[in-house]
Amino acid sequence: MSSGKCRVNISNLTAFELLHLRGFMFKIIDRYILRKLFSTSIFMVLIFSVIAVVIDSSEKADDFVKSGLSTWTILSQYYVGFVAFIFSMIFPLMVFIAVIFFTSKMAGRTEIVAILAGGVHFNRFLRPYMVGALFMGGFFWVATQYWIPQANVLRGNFQTMYIDAKSSYDQSKYAERSPNYYIRVDTNTFAGLRGYDTAGKAAMGGFFLEKLKGNRIVYNLRADNAKWDTSKNTWKLDNVVERRIDGMKETVRIIKDTSLLLNVKPSDIRFDKYLKDKMTTPELDRYIAAEETRGSEGLNDFKVERFRRDATPVSVVILTFIGAVVASRKTRGGSGLHLAVGIITAALFVVMDKFSLTFSTKGSFPPILAAWTPNIIFAVVAIFLYRLAPK
């Protein structure tokens, strides 16, 4: 006993005591790696989020000034959602770079060599990385399913009202140039509302409904006005002309006003380019199911988003594994070489993800493969790198 520190002569310890001491050291190593993993990942996410906020605020400064809103309102109604959106985009990659960074530092200080030389198996060394990755991946999974979509509601609404509405480019592409809506009610039924007011939930320019049998129209309905009846959850029609067509025979009926039970609600009659980002996963599942029932097309964006919410958290685990395997090797290039490899790998992951998304939305690539292809390829890469790693 000297200076308050206990010195242990390992040569005098029994085999049981050696195992106990080794297990104690393992726990210290686990805590050390987990602490580094969490703290460095949080630091990386915060740094890149701040950079994204600074760049975004500089681009939108004129829009913020024109809106006349206070700084607190902009922060609470826009940047809360914006930071959550950035978090959803960069979290797996920031965890990956964080793992590369602190693991390469450990390798450069010969800490990993000492750990392996002390009898710790390489798989055992990777265990805290996997535990930390599973924890962060699980947290990220919950966030992508529920929390981030709720934050995106703030970002999407603010962007639509104060940013997109003031942009001439965005108006020409996305804004509602004409208050007319055409809806596919089911596989054989189509409806349209002219002069529709989303606030008043009424089409004062006219309403039509057509049913097809094969390539022939068998039913046609026209009304001067259509308004949503909140109490009955039906559409109230005025001055209705109803036609039933059976071959060469046509039956016409004129009705002053009537109620129409339609599988379309005012919430379905909207154009919102942020819609898939705003919906929680249960809401997204219900939306996709409802649109498929109606026979709607162009759902690949929504399906890819749904599958990505499960695939992206898994990428946290895969990228953490790759980062630990790559950076644990001590090289002459040190941390710089490891970081270069990490950044290139992250760039390849992003490019692959964007390509698969484009092939799905613009082509015939299955949405589930579009979401999972980067994970599948990088899982194979992870196994290959693991086999090459010095153990």
Side-chain angles (χ1 to χ4, degrees):
M1 185 79 67
S2 175
S3 302
K5 296 182 179 180
C6 181
R7 295 181 178 177
V8 180
N9 188 351
I10 297 179
S11 62
N12 296 329
L13 295 178
T14 66
F16 176 78
E17 290 171 331
L18 280 171
L19 290 174
H20 178 75
L21 179 61
R22 180 177 293 178
F24 177 70
M25 292 176 66
F26 285 359
K27 294 178 183 178
I28 293 176
I29 294 170
D30 291 342
R31 289 198 297 270
Y32 176 74
I33 292 176
L34 286 171
R35 184 170 64 250
K36 286 288 187 180
L37 176 60
F38 293 146
S39 61
T40 311
S41 298
I42 293 172
F43 176 78
M44 296 295 295
V45 170
L46 289 177
I47 286 296
F48 277 84
S49 296
V50 169
I51 294 173
V53 168
V54 170
I55 295 174
D56 184 77
S57 61
S58 64
E59 291 179 348
K60 294 184 173 64
D62 291 341
D63 296 314
F64 293 151
V65 172
K66 292 177 182 179
S67 69
L69 300 174
S70 64
T71 302
W72 171 250
T73 302
I74 294 172
L75 290 175
S76 60
Q77 294 188 9
Y78 175 68
Y79 276 110
V80 169
F82 178 79
V83 170
F85 173 70
I86 293 298
F87 174 82
S88 68
M89 293 180 61
I90 68 173
F91 184 74
L93 301 179
M94 292 303 100
V95 172
F96 175 61
I97 294 176
V99 171
I100 291 280
F101 181 76
F102 82 81
T103 305
S104 65
K105 289 290 186 183
M106 291 175 60
R109 295 191 295 260
T110 324
E111 294 176 2
I112 297 177
V113 173
I115 292 171
L116 299 179
V120 179
H121 194 275
F122 188 67
N123 292 344
R124 179 63 182 83
F125 167 73
L126 293 176
R127 184 185 298 176
Y129 286 94
M130 293 298 95
V131 171
L134 288 172
F135 177 82
M136 290 190 295
F139 168 81
F140 189 56
W141 183 86
V142 175
T144 55
Q145 307 291 317
Y146 301 100
W147 302 335
I148 293 175
Q150 293 173 359
N152 278 332
V153 173
L154 298 175
R155 181 185 69 90
N157 292 343
F158 188 96
Q159 187 96 5
T160 300
M161 184 174 297
Y162 298 105
I163 308 299
D164 296 345
K166 308 297 182 182
S167 171
S168 59
Y169 170 78
D170 205 67
Q171 281 182 340
S172 65
K173 188 175 182 180
Y174 296 111
E176 297 170 8
R177 299 184 297 274
S178 173
N180 300 332
Y181 292 86
Y182 302 94
I183 309 158
R184 190 170 187 173
V185 180
D186 55 43
T187 54
N188 298 313
T189 307
F190 300 83
L193 299 98
R194 298 187 178 93
Y196 183 75
D197 179 15
T198 54
K201 301 177 181 178
M204 307 310 293
F207 171 85
F208 76 86
L209 178 73
E210 292 181 345
K211 293 184 180 181
L212 304 178
K213 187 175 182 180
N215 58 357
R216 295 183 297 107
I217 297 176
V218 295
Y219 179 84
N220 177 276
L221 182 144
R222 292 286 189 276
D224 289 346
N225 305 309
K227 185 171 183 178
W228 177 253
D229 189 339
T230 307
S231 61
K232 298 180 180 179
N233 288 334
T234 58
W235 291 93
K236 184 178 179 181
L237 308 180
D238 296 329
N239 300 325
V240 179
V241 178
E242 183 184 59
R243 289 183 171 86
R244 297 181 183 274
I245 305 169
D246 184 9
M248 299 299 294
K249 181 181 179 182
E250 179 180 4
T251 304
V252 180
R253 188 165 66 121
I254 299 176
I255 309 169
K256 184 177 181 181
D257 58 74
T258 185
S259 294
L260 178 64
L261 182 61
L262 199 63
N263 186 28
V264 176
K265 297 180 180 179
S267 58
D268 301 326
I269 307 172
R270 55 183 172 177
F271 178 83
D272 188 351
K273 64 177 181 178
Y274 305 104
L275 182 59
K276 65 182 177 63
D277 299 324
K278 291 180 179 180
M279 291 187 288
T280 62
T281 298
E283 293 172 341
L284 188 58
D285 287 335
R286 290 193 293 268
Y287 178 84
I288 293 174
E291 292 301 313
E292 286 181 335
T293 301
R294 294 172 185 156
S296 300
E297 299 177 353
L299 293 176
N300 275 11
D301 279 347
F302 295 90
K303 292 181 179 180
V304 171
E305 173 66 20
R306 173 62 186 91
F307 292 126
R308 286 182 67 182
R309 293 185 182 184
D310 291 332
T312 308
V314 176
S315 68
V316 174
V317 179
I318 297 174
L319 292 176
T320 299
F321 184 82
I322 293 176
V325 170
V326 170
S328 61
R329 180 194 294 267
K330 186 175 181 179
T331 60
R332 291 183 179 181
S335 299
L337 178 60
H338 287 151
L339 286 175
V341 172
I343 292 173
I344 293 173
T345 305
L348 290 174
F349 186 87
V350 172
V351 169
M352 192 175 301
D353 181 64
K354 295 301 180 184
F355 266 100
S356 60
L357 174 63
T358 302
F359 289 149
S360 178
T361 56
K362 305 299 183 183
S364 57
F365 197 52
I368 189 170
L369 287 181
W372 282 94
T373 293
N375 283 353
I376 294 172
I377 294 176
F378 273 78
V380 175
V381 172
I383 295 172
F384 175 76
L385 293 174
Y386 172 76
R387 292 183 178 275
L388 295 180
K391 303 178 181 59

